[in-house]
Amino acid sequence: MAQTRKSSEITISEVHSLLPRYQLLLRHIVMRDGEKKRKTGGLLGGNLLLDQERYLELPARVQERKRNSGQVWVEKPELESLMQWKLKHGKFRPQLPALIASNPSSLVKSITKEAFAVYSSSDPPESATAITLLCKLKGVGPATASLLLSVYDPVHAPFFSDELFRWICWDEKAGWDRKIKYDAKEYCMLCGGVQTLMERFGSGAGGADGTGVQAVELEKVAYVLGKSARDQKLAAAIEEEVGKAAGVGEEGKGAREMSPPASKRAKLGGDADSKSWGGQATGMGEAEKFGDAAEEVAGKAATSTPPMLPARAGGAETSDRSTRRTSQRTTRGRRGGEYNDEEAVAAPVNKQKRKSKSDS
């Protein structure tokens, strides 16, 4: 197992370099676990959609309620969606969804409204009392309660995830295998450790002012470190993709500059939405839906120059003989059954002609 960069030693530049890897990691996990590609929108399996709901859509709705009414709450379907994300993201506990579903909708709304009001009534926020209130809901313990607080205040309130707790409250002996009790005492330990790290980074307004980091960002970094430490093959795949992104440089830039405008790509048979040109997809579609940081790394890693025949040493042109060999291979491939659309249409016509001759 690779050595983990401890939270007490990590630098803010290392944190920022690890953040884009979160989206790459999630995408590789989805692919590894056999999620299906959607015909439109690229790689958007259930896990990725739940991730988008947890990190983008639900926090935005919560803040919109605060702006419109001055009050904040979570609806029952939103709580159920958060539980689905939590179980797919971490340890699966099959009994929890049924417990969450047994809560009346009115109770979910009233308790979350009260807990968020208590949390925001003091400075620093009163997380302990808010956690106690949220735990009145069936199926909600300190970990799920902290998830609700993180949705409300992603800047300061950390989610009590396995990876974040083990990384922040690092145990030299147990490491990533440390046992977790998931109680209020451990959550207080986690909050103190996160606060210490944010202060060391000089986070100011929790990273909202463009400096430092936010609690939700530390959660993602811990997830990357924890999953990578446990799965070396997965870690190698991510680093390979990051390396490709770094190696694109001017070559990748040139390839993007060669790409014609969307109207031209459409005439060539490309799909403007999937960033394809003449049928050669660049693979940037899915990353655009999950934040600029992931788009920057995943998009660059997926972008490459159009495929070309290899040039000879010294930059010489490919010879006519090489071209003929390529043509012969293509012809043999077609005879073996790999034909294009025109041949597929012509085949029934030729068959009909042969049948007419035999009849005559």
Side-chain angles (χ1 to χ4, degrees), residues 22-23 26 41 43-45 47-53 55-56 220 285-295:
Y22 172 80
Q23 203 59 47
L26 192 65
L43 187 65
L44 281 175
N47 286 3
L48 295 182
L49 293 176
L50 287 171
D51 211 67
Q52 180 170 291
E53 167 74 6
Y55 286 114
L56 299 178
K220 291 182 177 181
E286 70 273 11
E288 295 173 348
K289 303 178 185 297
F290 298 98
D292 295 337
E295 180 184 36

Side-chain angles (χ1 to χ4, degrees), residues 298-320:
K300 287 182 180 179
T303 305
S304 61
T305 54
M308 300 174 63
L309 289 174
R312 292 188 179 275
E317 298 277 346
T318 304
S319 67
D320 292 340

Side-chain angles (χ1 to χ4, degrees), residues 76-89:
K76 180 179 176 179
E78 295 170 336
L79 177 58
E80 291 176 319
S81 177
L82 279 178
M83 179 56 70
Q84 290 181 39
W85 174 86
K86 181 175 177 289
L87 296 180
K88 286 182 176 292
H89 210 64

Side-chain angles (χ1 to χ4, degrees), residues 13 23 44 65 150 182 190 207 219 229 318 336 359:
S13 61
Q23 203 59 47
L44 281 175
R65 289 165 191 161
S150 178
Y182 303 102
L190 173 62
E219 173 198 328
T318 304
D359 291 342

Side-chain angles (χ1 to χ4, degrees), residues 33 63 73 94 128 149 167 183 195 204-206 230 244 258 266 277 293 351:
D33 293 346
Q63 292 306 315
W73 67 90
L149 291 183
W167 183 53
D183 57 20
Q195 182 63 32
R230 290 177 174 273
K244 288 179 180 178
M258 289 169 60
W277 175 23
K351 185 176 180 180

Side-chain angles (χ1 to χ4, degrees), residues 105-180:
S105 298
S106 58
L107 185 63
V108 172
K109 183 174 181 178
S110 62
I111 286 184
T112 55
K113 184 184 293 185
E114 182 182 1
F116 292 152
V118 168
Y119 175 83
S120 59
S121 63
S122 60
D123 188 16
E126 182 54 56
S127 59
T129 305
I131 291 288
T132 301
L133 286 170
L134 291 169
C135 287
K136 291 181 179 180
L137 294 169
K138 293 180 181 179
V140 174
T144 304
S146 72
L147 178 57
L148 286 163
L149 291 183
S150 178
V151 166
Y152 173 62
D153 183 12
V155 175
H156 301 100
F159 165 47
F160 193 174
S161 70
D162 294 358
E163 291 81 14
L164 185 59
F165 177 79
R166 287 171 176 149
W167 183 53
I168 293 293
C169 305
W170 186 256
D171 185 294
E172 289 289 349
K173 185 176 180 180
W176 293 108
D177 295 320
R178 177 176 179 171
K179 300 294 184 182
I180 305 176

